[in-house]
Amino acid sequence: MEIFVVPTASATGSVAAGILAAVVRSKPDAVLGLATGGSPLPVYRALAEHSVEMGAVRGFALDEYVGLPAGHPESYAEVVRREVTVRLGLDPAKVAVPDGGAPDPRQAAANYDAAIARAGGIDVQILGIGHNGHIAFNEPGSALDSRTRVEVLTERTRQANARYFASPEDVPTQCITQGLGTIMEARHLLLVVNGADKAEILAAALQGPVSSDCPASVLQRHAHVTVVADEAAAAKLAPGTGEVTVRVAGAAVGV
Ligand code: PGA
């Protein structure tokens, strides 16, 4: 595992975008795993500044709410369209989001894993982490080998996401999420974390026991993980536990 610690959230975007741009330059039809939420936004903004042709890139979103009407601005299909597909110039036909409006969401979940496999798997999966240690919508208790499936959102997650909706009751109660086993099959995991409110859970995930109580702890078992964290989020990481930690000064990342 390599951990980049950078001064600010915006610098997490610069560093992570540099990694992604290098991947796409060497493989123009790379398969990217796309995360929503606040943490990856600086990444997409910084990646848009790179002069790299993204038209052949393929994308798979991590998750989607179940039951929002098609075109709802906070559906992840719409968020991915706005923040990723349009911003980066991806071909919309090459970007997939789980179908949260499907008549049979369970079947849609199974189809999604099959589509990822048909694409040859994910080259780089962008990830954020929730305050309870979730990655995608794999809430605590998720099996470490779980597949893409329908899940119930915890109240903590619904509260965290209420900021995007007019009223907290509007946050859906269910989702389709890539499973932890699905995520672990990506060849490279790129976790982007910022803010002091994530410091405790980041340390637990990277340096605590591997357990479904903290789903992100499964990352410890992956052979190629890059963590990009701002100093506030990295504040509770214990030094010297084996991973490579690179502290990047402001000037090096354009801040
Ligand atoms: P955030 O969400 O980046 O908006 O904090 C992360 C997550 O819940 O996975």
Side-chain angles (χ1 to χ4, degrees):
M1 182 178 297
E2 56 194 356
I3 304 176
F4 290 92
V5 180
V6 300
T8 62
S10 132
T12 64
S14 310
V15 170
I19 292 169
L20 292 166
V23 168
V24 175
R25 281 201 187 94
S26 68
K27 183 178 179 186
D29 66 344
V31 181
L32 302 184
L34 305 170
T36 52
S39 311
L41 291 180
V43 182
Y44 304 132
R45 290 185 185 131
L47 188 52
E49 303 297 315
H50 284 258
S51 56
V52 54
E53 172 52 49
M54 302 283 291
V57 164
R58 295 165 289 163
F60 285 92
L62 274 175
D63 44 18
E64 176 61 292
Y65 296 113
V66 166
L68 287 180
H72 188 291
E74 294 310 327
S75 68
Y76 287 168
E78 274 301 296
V79 174
V80 166
R81 189 187 63 73
R82 279 196 308 270
E83 301 293 347
V84 186
T85 308
V86 171
R87 191 183 291 276
L88 300 180
L90 268 53
D91 175 354
K94 294 191 169 80
V95 179
V97 180
D99 186 359
D104 182 351
R106 280 174 187 75
Q107 186 60 48
N111 293 349
Y112 202 68
D113 266 3
I116 293 173
R118 273 199 307 279
I122 289 172
D123 290 304
V124 189
Q125 175 64 62
I126 304 162
L127 295 169
I129 184 171
H131 297 99
N132 60 5
H134 75 202
I135 48 174
F137 278 138
N138 292 282
E139 303 284 25
S142 297
L144 300 183
D145 61 355
S146 50
R147 310 303 308 174
T148 300
R149 67 198 186 285
V150 177
E151 267 296 348
V152 175
L153 297 174
T154 62
E155 275 316 300
R156 181 101 196 256
T157 296
R158 293 187 69 236
Q159 279 164 20
N161 289 8
R163 63 196 148 135
Y164 298 116
F165 290 82
S167 135
E169 300 85 67
D170 294 348
V171 184
T173 56
Q174 291 194 316
C175 64
I176 297 176
T177 181
Q178 279 194 34
L180 294 173
T182 313
I183 292 168
M184 287 289 283
E185 286 168 5
R187 288 180 275 281
H188 182 185
L189 302 180
L190 178 57
L191 175 64
V192 183
V193 195
N194 49 64
D197 56 320
K198 296 284 175 70
E200 201 155 322
I201 197 64
L202 183 64
L206 302 188
Q207 297 176 333
V210 176
S211 156
S212 63
D213 293 343
C214 178
S217 65
V218 75
L219 268 56
Q220 295 179 40
R221 295 195 175 152
H222 195 284
H224 191 185
V225 179
T226 304
V227 180
V228 186
D230 71 359
E231 276 163 11
K236 296 202 167 154
L237 290 174
T241 44
E243 73 282 351
V244 179
T245 303
V246 182
R247 290 191 177 264
V248 184
V253 286
V255 295

